[in-house]
């Protein structure tokens, strides 16, 4: 009887050890599957370098030139002030002092936000009509001064933009308002188109969009700073 109990007792313990071993093996396997799944599900996302915004396209009068009605010309790529203004202030802040306010005529700006974050600060935006020319951007730098830029329509071709930039930043200062400059260039283009048809190579040139060679740095008595062309 004692022997039988001993055998049963031994067999019970032997079986218990076997169950524990199997449980440990199963637990390790489960943990391993969890680790594998975690590694699969939580792989680090690929790193993408930030894409730099295009530089602002500007022609500005240099110091010492007479002001006239305009201080230069700006050729934005769209009518979205939120996306266009930061590139503009990146250029103007070091030259003119921090731009704190701008004002536009709402005629050609579909959305005019009250404030626009730019380069670590905020520019307040106002709109006025009819006080401000529809083709002009007024900029203010607190305690420094005011500047007026001709706004060249984004859809303008490279050759017309070059003429408008030259006129707005002329050494003696253009006697025309921003809208008068735009109207004069439109008339000039209409007359040119009526006088002669475009040659095939010229047509291709205009369809190609902006050119980096569109604006000369200096022509005659013109003195200007060309940026982003």
């Amino acid at each position: 009887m004692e022997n039988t109990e001993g055998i049963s007792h031994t067999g019970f313990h032997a079986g218990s050890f076997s169950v524990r071993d199997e449980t440990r093996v199963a637990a390790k396997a489960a943990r391993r599957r969890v680790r594998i799944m975690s590694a699969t599900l939580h792989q680090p996302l690929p790193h993408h370098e930030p894409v730099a915004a295009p530089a602002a396209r500007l022609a500005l009068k240099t110091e010492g030139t007479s002001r006239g009605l305009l201080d230069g010309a700006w050729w934005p790529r769209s009518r979205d002030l939120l996306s266009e203004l930061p590139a503009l202030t990146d250029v103007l802040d070091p030259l003119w002092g921090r731009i704190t306010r701008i004002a536009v005529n709402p005629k050609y700006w579909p959305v005019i936000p009250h404030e626009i974050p730019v380069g670590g600060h905020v520019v307040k935006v106002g709109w006025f009509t009819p006080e401000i020319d529809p083709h002009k951007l007024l900029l203010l730098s607190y305690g420094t001064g005011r500047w007026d830029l001709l706004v060249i329509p984004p859809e303008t071709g490279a050759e017309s933009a070059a003429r408008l930039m030259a006129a707005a930043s002329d050494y003696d200062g253009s006697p025309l308002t921003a809208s008068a400059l735009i109207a004069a260039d439109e008339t000039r283009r209409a007359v040119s188109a009526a006088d002669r048809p475009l040659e095939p190579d010229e047509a291709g040139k205009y369809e190609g969009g902006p050119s980096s060679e569109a604006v000369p740095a200096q022509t005659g008595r013109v003195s200007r700073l060309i940026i982003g062309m």
Side-chain angles (χ1 to χ4, degrees):
M1 185 70 179
E2 293 178 359
N3 291 337
T4 303
E5 291 177 356
I7 293 171
S8 300
H9 185 72
T10 302
F12 173 78
H13 283 287
S16 297
F17 287 129
S18 176
V19 170
R20 290 174 184 174
D21 290 343
E22 290 178 0
T23 301
R24 291 193 192 99
V25 170
K28 288 181 180 178
R31 287 194 295 270
R32 183 169 179 273
R33 284 195 297 272
V34 169
R35 286 196 296 270
I36 293 172
M37 290 176 65
S38 298
T40 302
L41 295 176
H42 300 287
Q43 290 180 346
L45 296 175
H47 177 70
H48 296 288
E49 293 294 333
V51 179
R57 301 182 294 192
L58 287 169
L60 304 174
K61 290 180 180 176
T62 58
E63 294 183 6
T65 58
S66 60
R67 179 172 180 179
L69 298 178
L70 296 165
D71 297 289
W74 176 42
W75 185 18
R77 292 173 171 82
S78 72
R79 289 290 185 177
D80 183 354
L81 277 173
L82 277 172
S83 63
E84 296 290 340
L85 192 64
L88 180 63
T89 57
D90 281 349
V91 175
L92 298 183
D93 281 0
L95 295 173
W96 293 348
R98 176 175 287 189
I99 302 301
T100 54
R101 292 178 179 273
I102 69 166
V104 297
N105 185 308
K107 182 175 182 179
Y108 295 115
W109 301 99
V111 178
I112 303 178
H114 295 295
E115 295 182 343
I116 299 177
V118 300
H121 67 284
V122 172
V123 173
K124 295 185 180 298
V125 183
W127 59 269
F128 303 94
T129 179
E131 293 87 353
I132 297 181
D133 189 306
H135 291 287
K136 188 171 73 173
L137 176 72
L138 187 156
L139 304 103
L140 296 171
S141 178
Y142 180 75
T144 304
R146 162 186 165 167
W147 296 270
D148 298 87
L149 294 180
L150 166 69
V151 179
I152 301 172
E155 65 276 9
T156 302
E159 186 171 308
S160 291
R163 287 194 300 266
L164 289 167
M165 285 187 167
S169 56
D170 187 88
Y171 180 90
D172 292 321
S174 173
L176 300 178
T177 64
S179 286
L181 280 173
I182 296 290
D185 189 74
E186 289 176 350
T187 300
R188 183 181 188 279
R189 285 189 289 113
V191 171
S192 297
D195 285 345
R196 64 180 180 85
L198 290 176
E199 297 296 331
D201 58 336
E202 291 179 312
K205 173 184 175 182
Y206 293 130
E207 291 171 359
S211 168
S212 60
E213 300 176 356
V215 184
Q218 291 191 355
T219 303
R221 296 186 62 209
V222 173
S223 178
R224 69 181 69 96
L225 174 62
I226 308 298
I227 302 170
M229 292 298 292

